[in-house]
């Protein structure tokens, strides 16, 4: 079963150890606003959905439950650092068979 937007927001907020109050302050909204999103009472605006995706470093499709893929921005890393990450991903693939890596300026590469 796919996670809902409200579940994803709550999960991602909890993973980084922020309370609803701390999270709301960082986003410039009220605690009640965050509570409403997480309880599926109100949907965030499109602008806020983009802000949430940027804040959590995920895609809007991930937040909306349309995809389960996590991405990693490597645009500020050197080619050598990217090579090290590729080796790490290869090691991780042995335990988790589907990982998508975003290579610098090459777009997604399915590593299934």
């Amino acid at each position: 079963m796919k996670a809902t937007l409200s579940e994803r927001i709550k999960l991602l907020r909890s993973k980084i150890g922020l309370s609803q109050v701390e999270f709301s302050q960082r986003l410039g909204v009220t605690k009640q606003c965050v509570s409403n999103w997480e309880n599926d009472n109100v949907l965030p605006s499109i602008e806020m959905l983009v802000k949430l995706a940027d804040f959590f470093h995920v895609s809007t499709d991930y937040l909306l439950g349309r995809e389960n893929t996590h991405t990693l921005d490597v645009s500020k890393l050197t080619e050598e650092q990217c090579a090290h990450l590729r080796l790490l991903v290869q090691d991780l693939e042995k335990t988790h068979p589907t990982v998508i890596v975003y290579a610098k300026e090459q777009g997604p590469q399915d590593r299934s």
Side-chain angles (χ1 to χ4, degrees):
M1 185 173 182
K2 290 184 179 181
T4 64
L5 174 61
S6 59
E7 292 167 336
R8 295 259 167 128
I9 293 171
K10 186 174 184 175
L11 174 70
L12 291 167
R13 176 186 59 77
S14 298
K15 275 187 174 181
I16 58 174
L18 292 178
S19 69
Q20 286 185 343
V21 171
E22 294 165 326
F23 183 52
S24 68
Q25 290 170 343
R26 293 216 187 158
L27 291 176
V29 298
T30 64
K31 185 254 184 214
Q32 186 62 42
C33 187
V34 172
S35 177
N36 280 331
W37 296 337
E38 291 184 0
N39 290 308
D40 213 13
N41 296 328
V42 175
L43 293 174
S45 67
I46 293 171
E47 293 81 11
M48 185 54 69
L49 184 66
V50 171
K51 192 172 183 176
L52 289 166
D54 290 344
F55 182 86
F56 290 125
H57 304 287
V58 298
S59 70
T60 53
D61 277 350
Y62 177 79
L63 284 176
L64 294 170
R66 296 183 52 144
E67 69 177 33
N68 255 352
T69 309
H70 291 269
T71 60
L72 180 63
D73 179 7
V74 297
S75 62
K76 295 180 182 175
L77 299 180
T78 66
E79 286 301 322
E80 183 179 359
Q81 291 168 323
C82 289
H84 287 294
L85 280 176
R86 283 187 199 95
L87 290 173
L88 179 60
V89 168
Q90 289 171 357
D91 287 341
L92 291 172
E93 285 177 333
K94 295 173 184 171
T95 57
H96 299 284
T98 303
V99 177
I100 294 181
V101 176
Y102 277 79
K104 200 171 188 175
E105 298 179 14
Q106 293 176 357
Q109 299 176 350
D110 190 348
R111 311 279 289 187
S112 301

